[in-house]
Amino acid sequence: MWVVLLAVASTAFLSLDTTAVLLTPVVVAAARAHKLPALPFAFTTVWLANTASLFLPVSNLTNLLAAPGLGGGTGEFLLLLAAPAVIAVGVTVLLLWVRFRRHLRGTFTPQPAPRVADRTLLLWCAVVVAALLPLLVSGLEPWLPASAAALVLIVVFVVRAPRALSVRLVPWSLVVFASGLLLAAAAVDAAGLLDALAVLLGHAEGAGAVYAVAGTGAAAANVVNNLPAYLALEPAVAGAPIHLAALLVGVNAGPLITPWASLATLLWHQRLRAAGEDVSWRSFILWGCLAAPLVVGLAVLPLAIAAA
């Protein structure tokens, strides 16, 4: 339960990529310390990193891009997407329980808390994060408090733990791969391969249209990545907040099938490999084929009811 709460809070306030990068090694280390299988906890972080990214504008870049069309403020965003976000998380947790229930039965012996090497550094990090969270939903441009927090933490690490800062922290191979993926997706967009879908969505109406938008967004995200999918389909639903919200449900909660559908999934896999854990992409894709339609289909239900 604590892993679920941490994943949801981290994703909602700090973005899905933060959950993938920072929380994944933490839950793997905690599972190993308690002699538990790491895979259930690892899948919890990656699935919730995507499906819990509907809560706030700062949870996902697609949300920030869509926010003006939804009214511009956090309140307007929540009004449309709070119910879909809660449903998406609830369905995700239920599916995780169904998949891993055999691994999570029984009891375990709690292990002592790990020794903190530098309590002052930990305190600084905690204070910065605590100050950052309300600023991210204060109405300021998110990059302002995020940049300030990053600058403070860099200074703190330079003073307290300079050896922790290294260019090796940057996953260069993943950066190159992700850049190539985005360039390929941009080429798909520029070639107009999704234009026909956008035209069809622009003429759809009613509850069926809401499901069509969400389903198309989810499918396109798994084919070309969620960000270019959103950018390609957004013009078709501009001016219709419910349809725009449905598109967010599709491109945020739907990328559970292909590894490249969400950058967070690629970051998650890189962190797992760095921690010595291996995940079968075949298993990931098969379970994603079950999870994505269920999560998106149920999460978009409140929007479909509102549009009926």
Side-chain angles (χ1 to χ4, degrees):
M1 181 57 70
W2 283 111
V3 174
V4 170
L5 294 177
L6 281 173
V8 171
S10 171
T11 301
F13 288 97
L14 300 176
S15 87
L16 70 169
D17 297 331
T18 300
T19 298
V21 172
L22 298 184
L23 191 58
T24 300
V26 171
V27 299
V28 169
R32 288 174 175 172
H34 291 84
K35 298 179 174 58
L36 296 171
L39 198 59
F41 302 96
F43 261 87
T44 298
T45 60
V46 71
W47 275 11
L48 286 175
N50 287 288
T51 62
S53 66
L54 290 166
F55 276 103
L56 293 170
V58 297
S59 304
N60 200 328
L61 178 56
T62 54
N63 297 356
L64 291 173
L65 294 173
L70 296 174
T74 301
E76 292 83 357
F77 189 95
L78 287 171
L79 186 64
L80 276 173
L81 285 159
V86 171
I87 293 172
V89 168
V91 175
T92 301
V93 172
L94 179 60
L95 288 171
L96 287 165
W97 178 81
V98 169
R99 180 179 181 185
F100 295 112
R101 64 189 184 281
R102 295 180 181 177
H103 299 279
L104 300 177
R105 287 177 178 173
T107 60
F108 64 91
T109 302
Q111 301 298 307
R115 185 181 67 88
V116 178
D118 189 333
R119 292 187 177 277
T120 301
L121 181 60
L122 177 62
L123 180 61
W124 268 101
C125 292
V127 170
V128 169
V129 171
L132 176 64
L133 295 184
L135 291 175
L136 288 174
V137 294
S138 66
L140 293 171
E141 291 291 332
W143 69 268
L144 289 171
S147 299
L151 181 60
V152 171
L153 288 177
I154 288 173
V155 172
V156 171
F157 269 85
V158 166
V159 174
R160 302 291 306 185
R163 293 184 179 180
L165 298 176
S166 170
V167 293
R168 290 178 297 179
L169 294 173
V170 180
W172 295 109
S173 59
L174 182 59
V175 169
V176 173
F177 178 79
S179 299
L181 176 65
L182 291 177
L183 288 174
V188 170
D189 184 23
L193 298 182
L194 296 178
D195 287 354
L197 290 176
V199 170
L200 290 175
L201 295 180
H203 291 85
E205 296 181 357
V210 171
Y211 272 100
V213 170
T216 302
N222 281 289
V223 172
V224 299
N225 182 263
N226 59 347
L227 181 56
Y230 171 81
L231 293 174
L233 298 174
E234 186 271 340
V237 295
I242 289 181
H243 290 182
L244 185 57
L247 178 60
L248 284 182
V249 172
V251 299
N252 285 18
L256 301 177
I257 301 174
T258 58
W260 58 83
S262 168
L263 179 59
T265 302
L266 296 174
L267 293 169
W268 166 80
H269 188 255
Q270 189 273 335
R271 298 305 292 160
L272 274 186
R273 293 193 64 181
E277 293 288 337
D278 192 25
V279 176
S280 165
W281 281 125
R282 180 176 178 274
S283 175
F284 183 93
I285 291 170
L286 288 176
W287 276 97
C289 287
L290 170 66
L294 286 175
V295 172
V296 173
L298 292 174
V300 82
L301 183 59
L303 300 175
I305 293 174

